[in-house]
Each structure stands twice: as structure tokens, then as C-alpha cells.
Amino acid sequence: MPSRSTVALFTQPSISSTLRAKHGLCRRCRWRQYSSQSPSPRPVIFSGIQPTGIPHLGNYLGALRQWVTLQNEATPDTRILYSIVDLHALTITPDPDRLRQQRRETLAVLLAIGLNPERCTIFFQSQVPAHSELMWLLSCRATMGSLSRMTQWKAKMGPVINTTSASEISPFDLRLGLFSYPVLQAADVLVHRATMVPVGEDQVQHLELTRDLASKFGDLFPSPKTLLAPAKRVRSLRDPTVKMSKSQGHEMSRIMLTDTPSIIDSKIRGARTDMDSSVTYDPSQRPGVANLIELLSEFDPQKRSPEDVAREYRNKTLLELKNAVITAVIDGLKGIREEYERIIKNDEGRRYLDHVSQTGATKARESAEETMALVRQSVGI
């Protein structure tokens, strides 16, 4: 993955409304499948998250909360695999000790939010060599043209191409891993013969590539369907024109899943809005207020839309809105911090992490090897 701030295999700039309309994608749908091809006899859900340590609220609403929902609501015959995609994190050469720590923190968070290793397979990508093996086989059939058209690659290339200073990075310094990581992402999905992949909007194009690569092997792989999360993109509390991200230096810009209630309170009270004290929902003209309304909508027990929430608060002040958001977020994240600390800070919890990772790796290797036996036979090795 090109950015360590990316959560889920899979989240960066949004796709256009035209593309959303073309494929029938809807934000307010709980999940919207998109692919016309038939799934494999056994449904398989796969998704991944980069080991960035403690996720923030945007990560949770955009991906992780839906992982738990899918786990709890999937039919009994559905196989579910969630991977901590640590190989993707290597595109930026992280500090090894810090990466090891963040891998464990990420695993602890997945358990703290309610993922059950008895129901779903949770594993580190690097512990399943078949992911890398299949990437090579897919790479032999992928084209430079298809990879160069990836929106995220263009986003990374843009600043380089427009560089005017000789001291700045040149295109020759860009890494192959950054260019080809969508092929590894495709391997992540296909090696487990996934039929459904929950992703962010920014990854729709990469799933299209995955389907294209799968088709080059005939009917060996099912064509994975894209499952889009219903949550709107959570914005920075300091600069609501951009998404919430760890790449923003100021800690007040984001709410972490392990923040205490008092910290959540102070961050939301300090959230940037505007000079108008009224409450209206206008994402383009009043992004800060819209962000707060959307957060309240996401945690609303009645599942009301932001527009409905705004109508309820139209005669109230921004202070009253912030108070409601504070209560909703604290209640919505209740128990996650305590469970995370229970797991990460004592010997029993650390042994449990080791057990989950080892058991998950074993199950994932078995799943992947079933696929790779067919792939090797199909290519003649």
C-alpha cells in the first residue's frame, strides 16, 4: 500500500459520482455488491488492513465496524478472512521495530472491536507465502498499461512529474513495489478465492484489476464482488476539507479508538466549524459542521441520514450539536479502549495475541494452498 495511513486494503481519494452512478453504488446502502458474475459455491469474504497501530475513527467507520457486522451477519457457510497486510506496509521502508509493534497493536485492536477468531481467520499476510507466490504469477499476466492507469499511482506520480527542483525526487526514484502493489492486492484476494471484498471507494478500481487478472486464468477464480461501506468519509477535526488521517501532524485532528472519554470530549469541542452558530447540513459550504452531523448520523440508533439529523438540530446551536456528538462517539466506542489495554498490557493477553496469529496463519496457509495447487497445475509448474 502506498500510504501507512491507509486502513483497510484499501482507502484513499473517492471515486467520482459518475462512476458511482454507473455501477449502482450507494453510500446509504448497508453494503452494495457490484458484479454480475456468479459467486463460487461457498461464499468467502476477504479484506485487509495495514499495520498502522491504533486506528482512528475514520478507519473504524469506514471499514472495521463493517468487518464486525459482516462477521456477525454472514451465513454459517461463509468463510471470512481478515489480513493484517504487513507486506504492503514495506513500500515506504518503515522502522523494523516500530513495524513489529504496530503489527501487534493492530491485531489487538481487531480483537478489541469484536472480531472473533473462532468465526473469522485473522492473520499476518507475511506469514502466508502463497500471497507473494501468486503475486508473481499474476504479474506475469498483468500489463504495465493497466497498472499505470491506476488512480492512486497517478496521484503519487503527479507531484513527481510536476517537480521543478533538481533536488527533489525524480520518477526514476519511484519504487517498483509502489507501482505493482495492486497486483499483490489482487493476489491477497484471489489466493483465498474470495467472492466478496469490503473496500473503500478508492479501491474500486483495484478490484476491477483483480477481476481482470482473475479472468486471465479462465474459471479458476471466482469474480470477487465489491462491497462498499455505507459510511461517509470522516473528515479531519482541524481541517474538515480533508479526510481524517494519521499523516496530519496535529493529534487534535483525529479521534483514536483508544482515546479516553475526556480526550474525545476535548477533541470534538475543539473541532473547527465556522462563524455561523446555526446548524445546517451543507458539506461544500460548511464542511466542519457537516462532519459533525455525519458523525452523529453514523452513531444514531435510529440510523437517520445526515439530512434528518440536521433537521432535528436546525433550531439548536453548534454547542448543543457538539455535546450530542461527544455523547454519541463516546457511547459508540465504549469498551474498545478497555479491551485493547487488557489484551496488550498483560502477559495473558500477549500470549493470546500469539495464539491468534499462529492459529490464523495456519488456517490461512491451508486456504491459500488449496488455491495454489490449482494455480500451479494451470500454469504448468
Side-chain angles (χ1 to χ4, degrees), residues 24-33 66 227-231:
L25 306 179
C26 173
R27 285 188 181 275
R28 297 305 302 176
C29 300
R30 205 171 141 276
W31 285 103
R32 186 69 178 264
Q33 300 181 357
Q66 284 70 30
L227 303 183
L228 282 181

Side-chain angles (χ1 to χ4, degrees), residues 1-7 12 50-53 88-95 98-99 102 246:
M1 290 296 139
S3 168
R4 294 181 69 184
S5 65
T6 305
V7 128
Q12 277 195 10
Q50 283 207 47
T52 59
H88 286 289
L90 299 178
T91 59
I92 60 170
T93 316
D95 175 76
R98 179 61 179 149
L99 178 57
Q102 290 179 323
K246 289 184 180 179

Side-chain angles (χ1 to χ4, degrees), residues 247-266:
S247 62
Q248 289 193 313
H250 206 297
E251 292 184 355
M252 295 294 287
S253 69
R254 55 194 176 272
I255 294 171
M256 310 305 292
L257 295 192
T258 54
D259 280 347
T260 63
S262 62
I263 292 175
I264 293 173
D265 183 295
S266 65

Side-chain angles (χ1 to χ4, degrees), residues 103-113 340 343-344 353:
R103 290 167 80 246
R104 293 182 67 81
E105 290 173 349
T106 303
L107 177 56
V109 168
L110 294 184
L111 297 173
I113 65 172
Y340 171 81
I343 294 171
I344 206 76
L353 285 180

